[in-house]
Amino acid sequence: MRCEICGKKLVEEPLKIKVDGSIMFTCKECSKFGKIQREAPKPQRPGVSRSSRVTKRIQRPREPTEEVIENYRDIVRQAREKKEWSREELAEKIYEKASVIGRIESGKMVPDLKLAKKIEKLLNVVLIEKTDNDIRDEMGQSKLKGSTIGDIARIKRN
Ligand SMILES: [Zn+2]
């Protein structure tokens, strides 16, 4: 690696500088001819192109993230008690051990999405929320969101 201004062979890391809008890698002495660019530029100004676009993509994933809601334990327990099922009965219906239900209801275990979906269907509750807001306008998404809130409210009221 050589300094792009004076051509001196560089022993250390070259400095990234901006001269008249173009990026150059130079030695320490030549860096004063331009503006030193930080290693990770913060994309605060709009239109800084590449880096800001990358950041945007990270903040807005295309795929919605599904997460088990925080108060899953209360929802499972209350819904199960409403149906007057024992933990054993509920466990049997989802092909799990009663101890699994016990751990879920005591909050010692967060059910994975597969298990949560099984419980959702069986107890007619909502245990999973989608954390991505970007696609809420898509058909079905808003409906799903609405029923989520409704179901939680309904269970809480009872
Ligand atoms: Zn130089």
Side-chain angles (χ1 to χ4, degrees), residues 8-25:
K8 195 173 84 180
K9 201 169 180 184
L10 296 166
V11 276
E12 319 152 19
E13 282 284 292
L15 287 157
K16 192 177 172 188
I17 65 162
K18 202 172 193 178
V19 188
D20 290 333
S22 51
I23 299 294
M24 294 183 104
F25 293 94

Side-chain angles (χ1 to χ4, degrees), residues 102-144:
R103 267 151 70 206
I104 289 170
E105 290 187 0
S106 60
K108 281 180 190 142
M109 180 187 137
V110 182
D112 60 31
L113 290 173
K114 211 175 135 197
L115 181 55
K117 277 173 186 169
K118 269 200 277 186
I119 300 171
E120 275 188 331
K121 256 194 194 158
L122 190 69
L123 294 176
N124 194 28
V125 292
V126 176
L127 296 174
I128 295 163
E129 63 176 358
K130 289 187 169 62
T131 51
D132 184 286
N133 293 326
D134 245 16
I135 55 162
R136 65 174 179 268
D137 292 330
E138 263 178 53
M139 271 224 335
Q141 281 297 322
S142 52
K143 228 169 101 190
L144 194 74

Side-chain angles (χ1 to χ4, degrees), residues 13 18 39 43 47 58-59 61-62 67-68 71 80 86 88-89 92 99 103 111 122 133:
E13 282 284 292
K18 202 172 193 178
E39 272 308 300
I58 291 164
Q59 285 169 342
R62 291 295 302 158
E67 264 176 29
V68 174
N71 58 338
R80 179 180 60 76
S86 66
E88 286 77 16
E89 279 175 292
E92 222 171 87
S99 62
R103 267 151 70 206
L122 190 69
N133 293 326

Side-chain angles (χ1 to χ4, degrees), residues 54-96:
V54 168
T55 311
K56 235 181 234 165
R57 212 188 305 141
I58 291 164
Q59 285 169 342
R60 298 179 176 196
R62 291 295 302 158
E63 293 292 313
T65 317
E66 288 185 320
E67 264 176 29
V68 174
I69 57 172
E70 231 172 278
N71 58 338
Y72 65 90
R73 46 188 284 195
D74 299 323
I75 289 171
V76 172
R77 202 192 62 241
Q78 284 166 22
R80 179 180 60 76
E81 285 171 354
K82 222 164 88 182
K83 287 191 184 289
E84 299 183 324
W85 289 346
S86 66
R87 284 177 180 175
E88 286 77 16
E89 279 175 292
L90 173 60
E92 222 171 87
K93 289 175 206 295
I94 56 170
Y95 309 106
E96 292 289 347

Side-chain angles (χ1 to χ4, degrees), residues 3 5 15-19 26-36:
C3 169
I5 290 179
L15 287 157
K16 192 177 172 188
I17 65 162
K18 202 172 193 178
V19 188
T26 70
C27 66
K28 204 177 170 196
E29 288 94 290
C30 295
S31 69
K32 63 175 183 258
F33 295 118
K35 199 162 180 275
I36 294 179

